[in-house]
């Protein structure tokens, strides 16, 4: 079992930055790949970024490539999403998720554990 709690969301102006954190508990966290997803009102959940358990490989959606960075600190059981050059279209609830299979996948159906989400709002 893995429990996930996101934090760091908030209101920011376009062009600004935020860093999201996802604190994990559970014995298998360090063997899980981790993903960030987001969901805007009326839209489907969308892949943002993923990272393998070692942190050696990452994968990004085209819409955030070059602006967002995913990282993890297994000693702290935490995954981060650094978001720079934010745009109003980045506004959504952001979720972290864990995949015990340690695969870099963009489909939210493939992730087994989820946090409750944190709201990010980017004003124009």
């Amino acid at each position: 079992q893995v429990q996930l709690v996101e934090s760091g969301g908030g209101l920011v102006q376009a062009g600004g930055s935020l860093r999201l954190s996802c604190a994990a508990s559970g014995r298998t966290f360090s063997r899980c790949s981790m993903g960030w997803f987001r969901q805007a009102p009326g839209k489907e959940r969308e892949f943002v970024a993923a990272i393998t358990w070692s942190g050696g490989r990452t994968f990004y959606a085209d819409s955030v490539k070059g602006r967002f960075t995913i990282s993890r600190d297994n000693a702290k059981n935490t995954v981060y999403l650094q978001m720079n050059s934010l745009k109003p279209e980045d506004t959504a609830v952001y979720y972290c998720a864990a995949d015990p299979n340690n695969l870099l996948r963009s489909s939210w159906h493939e992730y087994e554990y989820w946090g409750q989400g944190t709201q990010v709002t980017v004003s124009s």
Side-chain angles (χ1 to χ4, degrees), residues 37-99:
F37 290 78
R38 65 188 183 187
Q39 188 166 18
K43 294 188 176 181
E44 291 197 356
R45 192 164 296 190
E46 175 189 26
F47 170 74
V48 176
I51 188 168
T52 53
W53 74 267
S54 69
R57 289 192 297 141
T58 57
F59 176 39
Y60 294 93
D62 288 343
S63 59
V64 306
K65 202 172 294 183
R67 299 188 298 124
F68 290 11
T69 302
I70 188 171
S71 62
R72 67 190 294 164
D73 185 340
N74 287 341
K76 295 182 178 180
N77 283 2
T78 303
V79 178
Y80 305 98
L81 185 68
Q82 178 66 44
M83 306 186 295
N84 298 329
S85 303
L86 283 161
K87 305 175 182 179
E89 51 263 44
D90 293 319
T91 295
V93 177
Y94 283 70
Y95 300 89
C96 68
D99 175 10

Side-chain angles (χ1 to χ4, degrees), residues 21 33 55 76:
S21 298
S33 59
K76 295 182 178 180

